[in-house]
Amino acid sequence: MNVCLIGLLILLYVFNGLHASKADHFVRKEGYCMWYGQCGINPLTNKPVNCLYNGPAKPVADQGSHEILEKLCPELLLSSGKVCCDHDQLVSLQSGIKSAQQIMARCPSCWKNFRELNCRLTCSPNNSMFVNPTELSADEKSILAIDYSVAKAFRDGLYDSCKNVAFPDAHKKIMNYMCGTRVEKCTPLKFLDFMGNPELNGVSPFLINYPVTAKAGIKPMNATITSCNESFYDPVSKSTMQACDCQDCIESCKHPFPVKLTEYLAAKIIFSLKPDSELNQRTCYKNFFMKDCALTGTILRLDLLKIVLKVQAHLMNMSVIPKTGSKNITLADFCIKSSSNNCIVMSVLQYWQNDIKKLNKCIDALTGKQCSSQYDPKLAAWGDHLKICTDDPSLTDDRTALHLSCISLYGDPVYPPQVLGGYEGKNYTDASLLFVTFAIKKHPNEMEIEKAKTWQEQFVEYVKKFYDEDLQLAYVPIDL
């Protein structure tokens, strides 16, 4: 074998053996650090990196450090008062997660869990137990890459508390920007891997890997998770932080979706276009600034939505004379109601809270006022709202010039698969079917059953008599 090659192999063996030896002999126990202070610059990121220090945690060094810890990592001051970070590390931490705070702060528990992830890594007096250096500088004084072992419960809990948070002043979730992929494809591991990879996020000073399985001797970090629908005492503000809004946390909604079909009975109407309708072709909704169609579904037309709303409103308010008794029967006598006492009726019209004025709302692109006709150059109208609500049904403000909520009249998000059909994948705006579902109690008592049967007779009669030159409908009666 070539002498030079043998020499190179020996050097590599010695170099790798040195690192392996260090990794195998780290002290891992409570009160011990894996780093302290900053030493040098990472040549890959041009940012300061931490000094290797596998010794006892140290008292907070100065008032400046104490102030940053109080604002960012107060939980660490409540224990021993010792940490594994100096002032420079705290300044870097504060700077590094500042942008995350700005977009996560609208959901307090998301931000709280995220800062705990970073605080525990940077400053925990026990970080020797869950941090494993995987690459050192040539002089072995600085850490260039690590494995950060995080318990699955914390990893999943952090992701769950943040996954539905909306990006400020945008129509997307923050995970579209913090996961390296579309939110639909994001997972807890993809989220953490993106946040730890400086080549992908441009923020992390060194590579942070999040192994799924911890090595021998490693005890994964497992701080307490706060769910997005929980209020909690915040030691930073010294006040109680409220649960995240329904817009940012599905679990905070009054009736978290999806409601399983086995949990209620239902009367359902299915609207579609007649085969011979002149409207039976792809539509194209545009506003003043759009180059491409926003909606292409054959049934997604304003005039048709108005007809559906009229049918829906009639059935919701229909008063039926009972066979016995003196009080007329309405849907409210046996429907499932929300906490606001509204019957749960799932329909695409709920994106406008069943309000014809909201459905007709249109902002003129030139005047900024209500459009005077359907031919005005629209800045925003029903089609913009529908597109945004199908993308994110939990928005309480569509952030168009309309400033309309997507939340239903009964207080929950309305998810496209419940109210739209005839599309492929998640192309909801290609819909050719509209569904209106009246949710009925799963186990009605005898009186409610009789009322529901009487109401349903009128429901069926009305639906059978319905006529429109373009729309046709089918129905599914209540299975009583």
Side-chain angles (χ1 to χ4, degrees):
M1 183 181 288
N2 185 288
V3 175
C4 292
L5 179 58
I6 294 174
L8 178 60
L9 290 173
I10 292 173
L11 285 173
L12 287 173
Y13 175 80
V14 171
F15 181 76
N16 289 332
L18 180 64
H19 284 262
S21 175
K22 279 187 173 291
D24 291 340
H25 292 87
F26 287 130
V27 177
R28 300 189 183 280
K29 65 179 183 180
E30 290 189 4
Y32 264 65
C33 303
M34 192 54 71
W35 55 42
Y36 189 88
Q38 293 182 331
C39 300
I41 301 295
N42 187 339
L44 296 179
T45 64
N46 201 34
K47 294 180 179 180
V49 289
N50 299 331
C51 306
L52 178 64
Y53 167 73
N54 188 212
K58 301 182 180 184
V60 179
D62 53 75
Q63 184 60 30
S65 297
H66 195 278
E67 289 176 358
I68 295 177
L69 282 168
E70 277 192 326
K71 294 178 181 178
L72 202 59
C73 312
E75 293 85 358
L76 298 180
L77 293 174
L78 300 177
S79 53
S80 66
K82 294 183 178 181
V83 291
C84 291
C85 59
D86 69 357
H87 185 263
D88 290 339
Q89 286 175 282
L90 282 167
V91 170
S92 294
L93 172 64
Q94 189 176 44
S95 173
I97 64 174
K98 184 177 181 180
S99 58
Q101 180 179 12
Q102 293 172 345
I103 63 176
M104 290 178 167
R106 59 183 291 135
C107 181
S109 54
C110 168
W111 166 239
K112 178 258 186 188
N113 295 331
F114 185 76
R115 67 172 178 78
E116 283 241 41
L117 173 78
N118 290 278
C119 285
R120 302 278 173 172
L121 169 64
T122 306
C123 294
S124 169
N126 309 315
N127 70 9
S128 66
M129 300 176 69
F130 46 77
V131 174
N132 186 49
T134 56
E135 183 181 354
L136 301 179
S137 59
D139 60 7
E140 298 187 356
K141 292 182 179 180
S142 305
I143 298 176
L144 301 180
I146 64 166
D147 283 345
Y148 180 13
S149 291
V150 176
K152 185 178 186 300
F154 186 92
R155 183 176 70 225
D156 293 352
L158 165 63
Y159 177 74
D160 287 342
S161 68
C162 296
K163 65 183 180 182
N164 288 306
V165 177
F167 193 87
D169 300 322
H171 308 309
K172 296 183 178 181
K173 305 292 188 184
I174 63 173
M175 286 300 166
N176 281 297
Y177 307 94
M178 301 183 73
C179 197
T181 185
R182 288 182 59 83
V183 65
E184 296 86 0
K185 297 182 178 180
C186 190
T187 66
L189 275 175
K190 286 182 179 179
F191 168 49
L192 290 181
D193 287 342
F194 178 81
M195 297 308 299
N197 191 327
E199 293 184 5
L200 297 179
N201 62 53
V203 176
S204 181
F206 51 85
L207 179 63
I208 304 172
N209 291 307
Y210 292 87
V212 175
T213 304
K215 295 182 179 179
I218 299 287
K219 183 179 180 181
M221 191 281 291
N222 194 20
T224 301
I225 279 288
T226 301
S227 299
C228 63
N229 62 336
E230 293 180 332
S231 59
F232 63 96
Y233 177 78
D234 178 34
V236 176
S237 62
K238 296 180 174 59
S239 63
T240 298
M241 305 301 291
Q242 297 303 312
C244 305
D245 291 339
C246 174
Q247 176 181 351
D248 300 306
C249 173
I250 297 300
E251 292 78 10
S252 288
C253 301
K254 295 182 180 68
H255 299 278
F257 179 86
V259 179
K260 296 179 181 177
L261 287 175
T262 55
E263 293 179 357
Y264 60 82
L265 301 173
K268 190 170 188 174
I269 303 176
I270 304 164
F271 291 86
S272 62
L273 284 174
K274 293 179 178 178
D276 58 350
S277 170
E278 293 182 359
L279 302 180
N280 209 354
Q281 54 187 329
R282 294 175 72 83
T283 58
C284 183
Y285 174 89
K286 292 183 179 182
N287 66 31
F288 187 65
F289 298 103
M290 287 179 180
K291 293 182 179 179
D292 300 318
C293 301
L295 309 173
T296 55
T298 54
I299 203 165
L300 299 179
R301 303 169 187 265
L302 181 59
D303 53 347
L304 297 182
L305 290 176
K306 289 180 180 179
I307 295 172
V308 174
L309 178 57
K310 185 177 180 180
V311 172
Q312 176 184 311
H314 175 84
L315 293 171
M316 289 179 69
N317 299 313
M318 183 172 65
S319 181
V320 181
I321 299 174
K323 295 177 181 178
T324 59
S326 58
K327 186 179 179 182
N328 283 8
I329 298 167
T330 66
L331 180 65
D333 290 323
F334 50 87
C335 70
I336 296 177
K337 295 180 181 178
S338 66
S339 58
S340 58
N341 208 37
N342 288 302
C343 286
I344 295 179
V345 178
M346 288 168 278
S347 161
V348 71
L349 280 311
Q350 290 283 7
Y351 289 142
W352 295 272
Q353 297 78 50
N354 304 332
D355 188 332
I356 187 65
K357 291 182 179 179
K358 293 180 180 179
L359 182 62
N360 283 328
K361 189 174 182 181
C362 173
I363 303 300
D364 190 293
L366 302 180
T367 67
K369 299 179 180 179
Q370 173 70 26
C371 301
S372 58
S373 77
Q374 62 177 321
Y375 303 108
D376 287 353
K378 300 182 292 294
L379 174 61
W382 68 274
D384 301 273
H385 184 68
L386 178 60
K387 175 66 171 65
I388 288 167
C389 290
T390 54
D391 285 343
D392 188 350
S394 64
L395 290 176
T396 54
D397 184 333
D398 63 15
R399 302 192 187 96
T400 70
L402 301 170
H403 294 294
L404 294 175
S405 172
C406 298
I407 301 297
S408 69
L409 193 62
Y410 52 87
D412 287 353
V414 178
Y415 288 80
Q418 283 198 318
V419 297
L420 299 173
Y423 55 83
E424 293 184 2
K426 294 186 177 181
N427 299 317
Y428 305 125
T429 54
D430 287 344
S432 58
L433 301 172
L434 297 180
F435 308 135
V436 177
T437 303
F438 303 86
I440 311 301
K441 294 177 182 178
K442 174 67 174 175
H443 300 291
N445 58 42
E446 289 186 12
M447 183 178 295
E448 289 171 335
I449 290 175
E450 288 305 313
K451 288 182 177 181
K453 285 181 177 179
T454 303
W455 181 88
Q456 179 161 266
E457 289 176 4
Q458 195 70 30
F459 164 83
V460 172
E461 183 179 346
Y462 174 81
V463 169
K464 285 183 175 180
K465 289 182 178 179
F466 172 82
Y467 174 80
D468 182 80
E469 62 181 18
D470 295 303
L471 274 180
Q472 63 182 2
L473 57 81
Y475 68 93
V476 179
I478 309 168
D479 185 17
L480 294 169

